[in-house]
Structures are given as C-alpha cells and as structure tokens.
Amino acid sequence: EAGVTQFPSHSVIEKGQTVTLRCDPISGHDNLYWYRRVMGKEIKFLLHFVKESKQDESGMPNNRFLAERTGGTYSTLKVQPAELEDSGVYFCASSYGQGSSGNTIYFGEGSWLTVV
Amino acid sequence: SQKIEQNSEALNIQEGKTATLTCNYTNYSPAYLQWYRQDPGRGPVFLLLIRENEKEKRKERLKVTFDTTLKQSLFHITASQPADSATYLCAPGGYNKLIFGAGTRLAVHP
C-alpha cells in the first residue's frame, strides 16, 4: 500500500514567485493535514481537511498560503508570493479517522522549499 | 501557551543498553500522545500511540509510558542497536492536531 506521497520533493524558487505543493494521502484516508518545519524550529501544524472541507486552518501563517482539496482526494498548498521566511520542509499527513480519536497520523517525506 | 520539552542534548548510548527519552508538556491536556522517529531528510515515521487512560504501551523493543499527573511521557528502547540512531519526536495530540517537540537525537554506538 502506498504511503503519503508529496511532490515536488525539492523546490528552489525566487522571492515573489509562486509554488504549489501537492499531496496524495493514503487511499481511503478522509483526514489530511499539512505541517511545516522552518529552519531550527519544531514541526508546526498548518491545517486539517476532512474530505474536501477545511476543519481547522488555525496554523496557516498568512493569506499568502492557500490550501485546497477539491474532490476530497489529493490536496495542494500554494504559496503566493513566496517570501524568504517560507523556506522549510512542508509535510503532508493523513489518517483514516479523526486524530482526536487517537487514530495514527501518517506523514509523507516532505516537500523541501528554498526561497532565494 | 502549550509547550513540549524534549531532551535538547543528543543522547549517546552503547549498543545493547536501554535508551530512555523524556517528553514533558505544559499548559496542555492531550487526549493521546504519539512518538515518531525521523531520519535526516525524511518524514516522521509513526512508532507508538498511547491514550490518556493508558499508563504504558509496548511494541517489540519499544515501551512508552504516559503520566498525566506529571505531564510526562517516557520512551524506552531496550537492547538498542546502531540502527536505532535517529531523532525521536514526541507529539501530544488533541482536537485533530499534533504539537511536536523539537526531538531528541539518539546515537547508539557499537
């Protein structure tokens, strides 16, 4: 069974450009999460989808970040325009049931973003 | 605000010994706590989940305890091997999001 897959694995863009990260959750997982780790910091929650609906987007840093999950399958996270402080690793994760019920949350390998 | 503290220093132990990693949390009452392993350049890999009504959980050479009074979880690896060398992340959870600690780097020497 395929795990959580993310694309691209690495991306280098210039400040002001746009980047779109994609995540394919484990098949059958309705819950999809985005997390990120910026240099030297802990992994931080960004947002949570249940199917196509945003359940919690309290961790989104600002309105330059837009996450979508049309059709409740894969998700995209767009950063527009990118700033230097957006550099880091963006992790996507998924779970079968709600995380609040103690369901295991599985992570992808991450999309490494460098803004220059 | 919620705070998760893990041993900031790397833990160096000899192969065969038991590694014990500590996770303390404050201003938080998580319903469960997950432990992950992360290797350089990779995503976190789930190891164990323990719920607030469970005191201890075991899986092969791994054991996790969860003391909601002390607000602490301990993660043990018995009969450690060099392949266990990695960063271990504590992640208490509730309301569908995990709050991660900075992780403890474990190095097991032959």
Side-chain angles (χ1 to χ4, degrees):
Chain A
E1 181 184 325
V4 177
T5 57
Q6 295 187 241
F7 182 83
S9 57
H10 291 79
S11 183
V12 180
I13 62 171
E14 293 185 351
K15 177 182 170 181
Q17 289 187 320
T18 297
V19 64
T20 299
L21 310 177
R22 172 173 169 142
C23 169
D24 287 80
I26 293 172
S27 178
H29 283 193
D30 286 340
N31 294 271
L32 186 149
Y33 314 81
W34 284 98
Y35 286 78
R36 78 169 178 176
R37 169 180 257 162
V38 295
M39 185 67 71
K41 302 283 190 179
E42 297 85 357
I43 298 173
K44 297 277 193 191
F45 169 83
L46 295 179
L47 87 161
H48 169 218
F49 283 100
V50 177
K51 296 186 180 178
E52 67 276 7
S53 299
K54 290 177 186 173
Q55 190 83 0
D56 180 354
E57 51 184 328
S58 61
M60 294 289 264
N62 52 60
N63 59 10
R64 295 186 294 102
F65 289 75
L66 174 65
E68 294 180 319
R69 194 184 182 195
T70 308
T73 53
Y74 71 91
S75 174
T76 58
L77 179 64
K78 181 192 287 189
V79 185
Q80 177 184 33
E83 298 289 344
L84 298 178
E85 64 264 24
D86 300 331
S87 297
V89 188
Y90 290 78
F91 293 107
C92 178
S94 72
S95 65
Y96 175 70
Q98 299 268 343
S100 59
S101 301
N103 287 281
T104 303
I105 299 175
Y106 297 92
F107 282 76
E109 298 288 21
S111 288
W112 297 69
L113 173 65
T114 302
V115 183
V116 298
Chain B
S1 62
Q2 297 155 342
K3 192 174 180 183
I4 314 301
E5 290 185 345
Q6 295 187 250
N7 314 62
S8 56
E9 302 288 326
L11 182 62
N12 291 283
I13 64 167
Q14 208 67 32
E15 182 176 8
K17 300 290 186 185
T18 296
T20 298
L21 284 67
T22 304
C23 174
N24 295 298
Y25 55 91
T26 54
N27 298 322
Y28 196 20
S29 296
Y32 58 92
L33 192 148
Q34 302 196 27
W35 281 88
Y36 287 83
R37 168 185 173 139
Q38 189 172 26
D39 292 283
R42 308 295 299 274
V45 175
F46 170 78
L47 295 174
L48 277 171
L49 179 152
I50 186 166
R51 293 182 171 81
E52 60 180 337
N53 61 348
E54 298 175 313
K55 296 293 185 188
E56 181 180 299
K57 202 83 168 276
R58 291 175 184 263
K59 179 183 175 182
E60 298 172 352
R61 294 184 296 111
L62 309 180
K63 184 178 87 171
V64 172
T65 62
F66 192 10
D67 189 326
T68 55
T69 302
L70 290 179
K71 293 187 179 292
Q72 180 182 79
S73 176
L74 298 178
F75 178 80
H76 306 272
I77 305 176
T78 58
S80 60
Q81 305 165 1
D84 296 326
S85 299
T87 295
Y88 291 85
L89 303 168
C90 163
Y95 307 109
N96 295 312
K97 64 178 136 184
L98 298 173
I99 299 177
F100 280 90
T104 298
R105 191 154 45 88
L106 172 67
V108 181
H109 301 283

